[in-house]
Amino acid sequence: MSLCDVRDVDEIMDELCISLDRFDSKEDKGSFFSVMFGDFTSIIREKLFIEKGRSYSYPRLIKWCLDNNMVQQALTLYIEKMPEFYCNEGILDFSEEMREENGSGNPGQSWRTEFFYRAFYDQFVGNAEKQDVMPELKRFEEKLKTGINDMKEKNPAVINQFTAKKFRQLKNYMTTPEERAAVERLAGFLKEFYGPVPRDIVFPYSKKSVDNRPKCAITFINYALVQKEWMIYFFYDSEEKYHEYEGSKKSLKYEKYEKKVYALSQVRTYKGEISGAGRCGRALLYDIMKYYLALKMLRNRINHASELEVEENERRAMEQLEKQHGICMRIEFENVKSLIQEGINLCGLN
């Protein structure tokens, strides 16, 4: 089996299934095939997971490759053929209208496979921009501003003496546990970085220092209210949420791999209709897209193993898959094999 060209797989496997069915129906009784291989048909069916009277399936063929440690072949089949399988089974539903609207730029690849990786993933990038982003965060920001303005009106001097203790008074303006917890986190930050011994401030989840560090606590709060990533950091206390927002700021400028990871992050939270989702539930769709993206990236690294340098956007995307989505991206035989097995297990093939 060629590692790069699997266009003949369907024809070869169809011929094998037909030949096995003909033999089992005794149509070839007495033939050379019957004499030589009569005792082996059941073994062939068992090893290749071919049921009588039924066509083979890509997950079963991939499993056969894995059972025989043909991991590169299994990986090629997974990337090139699994989107076809999802459509054939009704898990995904890509209409002819979708094909006409998006076209196909790779004549050697199924249009459904190309559409799945290109247009299907990318719809979540555009959809994310159309949604009302983080309305609960907007409400929190408005309450902070209201509370600070009230404190200014009551005592203008408080601004010059704004401490973590005074900041905690803003809890009185909050109505939800999440809002009060965010005030507490912000107060703790002010105490740590604007206490008796001021410290350098670094951006959340990084080692990069903030240029032109705000000189006092109230200046930092005003700065944080403008720089939304800081408000996300305090309100959600979630590295994943923080990186999702960082992605949304530049989603249309994303290079290819990071753009796909950002799209994956949107699947679990997107509330609108998903074009082409078929009868696939949100949780299954997320898993399908997660394993496909990870394995496609690993295949790309394997095919370019001679290149020592990994593109910066590819490296960042791999890190995000590991941190945010729990996928191990090591290019090791057993790891790749395990990921492929987990991917086909989503089809109920254990």
Side-chain angles (χ1 to χ4, degrees), residues 122 124-126 128-129 133-134 208 228-229 232 241-263 266 312-317 319-320 324:
D122 292 355
F124 292 99
V125 177
E129 296 179 343
V133 179
M134 307 177 189
K208 183 181 178 182
K228 190 175 287 291
E229 57 263 44
I232 290 171
K241 200 76 173 180
Y242 179 84
H243 287 304
E244 282 182 16
Y245 174 74
E246 285 292 289
S248 71
K249 288 196 304 181
K250 56 180 181 177
S251 59
L252 293 181
K253 299 179 182 178
Y254 251 159
E255 295 183 71
K256 56 184 179 180
Y257 293 117
E258 286 184 284
K259 186 176 182 180
K260 302 302 181 186
V261 178
Y262 173 69
Q266 296 303 306
E312 181 62 20
N313 87 94
E314 186 177 2
R315 181 190 63 76
R316 290 195 300 265
E319 289 179 355
Q320 290 164 19
Q324 300 173 30

Side-chain angles (χ1 to χ4, degrees), residues 161-333:
Q161 306 165 356
F162 207 74
T163 62
K165 183 177 181 180
K166 285 186 172 63
F167 185 81
R168 286 190 173 92
Q169 295 175 16
L170 293 176
K171 287 183 181 180
N172 297 328
Y173 291 85
M174 306 300 154
T175 55
T176 69
E178 291 79 12
E179 292 169 351
R180 288 188 285 273
V183 170
E184 186 61 36
R185 280 191 288 272
L186 226 168
F189 181 92
L190 295 178
K191 182 178 180 180
E192 180 178 359
F193 290 93
Y194 287 92
V197 181
R199 294 175 50 194
D200 288 339
I201 298 174
V202 297
F203 285 100
Y205 310 111
S206 77
K207 297 180 180 179
K208 183 181 178 182
S209 297
V210 174
D211 294 331
N212 301 318
R213 177 187 183 276
K215 293 182 179 179
C216 62
I218 191 62
T219 308
F220 174 80
I221 293 170
N222 291 332
Y223 160 80
L225 283 167
V226 175
Q227 304 293 330
K228 190 175 287 291
E229 57 263 44
W230 280 99
M231 299 312 297
I232 290 171
Y233 171 66
F234 292 120
F235 186 79
Y236 293 105
D237 192 27
S238 166
E239 183 173 358
E240 180 178 349
K241 200 76 173 180
Y242 179 84
H243 287 304
E244 282 182 16
Y245 174 74
E246 285 292 289
S248 71
K249 288 196 304 181
K250 56 180 181 177
S251 59
L252 293 181
K253 299 179 182 178
Y254 251 159
E255 295 183 71
K256 56 184 179 180
Y257 293 117
E258 286 184 284
K259 186 176 182 180
K260 302 302 181 186
V261 178
Y262 173 69
L264 178 62
S265 298
Q266 296 303 306
V267 175
R268 292 180 290 186
T269 56
Y270 180 62
K271 297 180 175 61
E273 180 180 353
I274 300 175
S275 177
R279 58 179 176 81
C280 187
R282 193 66 53 88
L284 177 58
L285 180 60
Y286 167 76
D287 284 337
I288 286 173
M289 294 175 65
K290 176 176 69 173
Y291 282 102
Y292 189 87
L293 176 58
L295 288 166
K296 188 171 180 69
M297 290 186 66
L298 286 171
R299 183 195 183 197
N300 180 65
R301 291 310 312 151
I302 292 170
N303 289 346
H304 298 86
S306 60
E307 300 176 10
L308 298 178
E309 294 296 326
V310 178
E311 293 180 16
E312 181 62 20
N313 87 94
E314 186 177 2
R315 181 190 63 76
R316 290 195 300 265
M318 293 173 75
E319 289 179 355
Q320 290 164 19
L321 276 173
E322 290 194 336
K323 290 182 178 180
Q324 300 173 30
H325 303 283
I327 289 283
C328 177
M329 295 298 290
R330 290 196 306 272
I331 305 176
E332 297 174 355
F333 180 89

Side-chain angles (χ1 to χ4, degrees), residues 89-107:
E89 294 295 312
I91 297 171
L92 298 177
D93 184 14
F94 299 162
S95 65
E96 287 298 323
E97 288 77 9
M98 294 178 182
R99 179 180 190 176
E100 293 172 2
E101 289 175 5
N102 291 275
S104 180
N106 187 348

Side-chain angles (χ1 to χ4, degrees), residues 93-148:
D93 184 14
F94 299 162
S95 65
E96 287 298 323
E97 288 77 9
M98 294 178 182
R99 179 180 190 176
E100 293 172 2
E101 289 175 5
N102 291 275
S104 180
N106 187 348
Q109 188 176 54
S110 156
W111 78 267
R112 291 186 177 88
T113 295
E114 183 179 2
F115 177 87
F116 177 66
Y117 183 67
R118 181 166 54 86
F120 188 75
Y121 275 79
D122 292 355
Q123 72 172 306
F124 292 99
V125 177
N127 282 339
E129 296 179 343
K130 298 175 184 177
Q131 298 184 76
D132 183 13
V133 179
M134 307 177 189
E136 65 281 2
L137 179 61
K138 293 180 181 178
R139 291 191 290 269
F140 173 66
E141 291 171 348
E142 290 303 317
K143 292 173 185 177
L144 272 185
K145 293 175 185 177
T146 299
I148 292 171

